[in-house]
Amino acid sequence: MGRITVSVIKADIGSLAGHHVVPDEIKEVAKKSLERAASRGEIIDYYVTNCGDDLELIMTHRRGEDSPEIHELAFKTFKECEKKAKELKLYAAGQDILSDAFSGNLRGMGPGFAELEFEERPADPVVVFMADKTEPGAFNLPLFKVFADPFNTAGLVIDPKMHSGFEFEVLDVVEGKSVILKCPEEMYDLLALIGTTGRYIIRRVYSKSGIPAAAVSTTRLSLIAGRYVGKDDPVAVVRAQAGLPAVGEILEAFAFPHMVAGWMRGSHYGPLMPVSEQDAKCTRFDGPPRVVALGFQVSDGKLLGPADLFNDPAFNRARELCNLIADYMRRHGPFMPHRLGPDEMEYTTLPSVLEKLKDRFR
Ligand code: F6R
Ligand code: MG
Ligand code: MG
């Protein structure tokens, strides 16, 4: 037991046939790199997977959050994968590696990461969420429901250990500042912020006694690079049970497929579809945006699992609803509110169209 850190670090290194899926060859390179790190004792355990075109490294270790060694390990692993992706001439090989010079932390370098350090409990269930074709604010609504909505999470009402509520750290990605808001006391203030999903992002959640309960990646590539480089397909780590929301309460928030920004060219709203690892590939109109949930038991730092939690007929209705919403939204074609507003679009021809037409405006 003792203190353990779960680090989920991801990057889009390139895809087979467009931007839709990481091929097995790339995951093999990543597995070998993390296997070597485990045999050297740098990490305790790992699991490599993908959500759409994003390669996901799930690791446990005792080096804490923001560890230079762990970030460097992920960076070197991504660089090896990038090399392989270039050899294979994958599409958009090395997309999220914005810089070659590693200087101690992945912040501002392209890859996204969510890390949670905690005292391992006698039994410690963790759920790792990974999404593709959307942005970190996509987790605002479900995390609010998990930790603050009594109609989602029964424990907020009937479990004495959860009845006092949770604290949310909200990051303003434009100002680079964060604020902590208590729920239920400051629920309306919290909602006033996090409804603006492109700017105010739930970064962490704590119990009122200070136990870390959830962490979300908050990288905004376009703010780093100053140009379109893809949406920042997010990841999150959520701890469950025994005074924290039950796994079922955590998953319940995803039974409602809410609308998120992303999808085709990072410029469209669409429903977030909960899927199995197998179905984590963004096909129709490069989507619809998807989310995978993997459940682990953290056991002396080892990762038992995963359980592929959305691989369950109980989520069929959510997926059917997603397909219905996708049909409805797609029929808007280039019109808002399917297409994002002009400030949020990742691809745009508007300036050049306006320039061309400027003398014709009367
Ligand atoms: C969105 C995404 C894809 C691409 C689209 C165009 O995050 O990855 O929808 O934006 O396939 O890609 P390019 O410009 O590479 O042809
Ligand atoms: Mg891509
Ligand atoms: Mg992606």
Side-chain angles (χ1 to χ4, degrees), residues 116 143-144 147 166-169 202-207 211-216:
L116 211 50
L143 286 181
F144 172 80
F147 289 102
F166 289 88
E167 294 184 3
F168 293 74
E169 183 189 336
I202 297 174
R203 177 155 73 179
R204 296 180 76 88
V205 183
Y206 297 92
S207 73
I211 294 173
V216 180

Side-chain angles (χ1 to χ4, degrees), residues 12 19 53 92 95 133:
D12 181 338
H19 286 277
D53 60 4
Q95 175 181 296
K133 302 293 183 269

Side-chain angles (χ1 to χ4, degrees), residues 65-85:
E65 295 169 14
D66 278 317
S67 152
E69 293 88 0
I70 298 300
H71 282 215
E72 186 169 18
L73 169 64
F75 186 74
K76 284 186 168 158
T77 304
F78 291 143
K79 289 299 290 179
E80 272 186 59
C81 294
E82 179 186 31
K83 188 163 167 271
K84 183 75 179 173

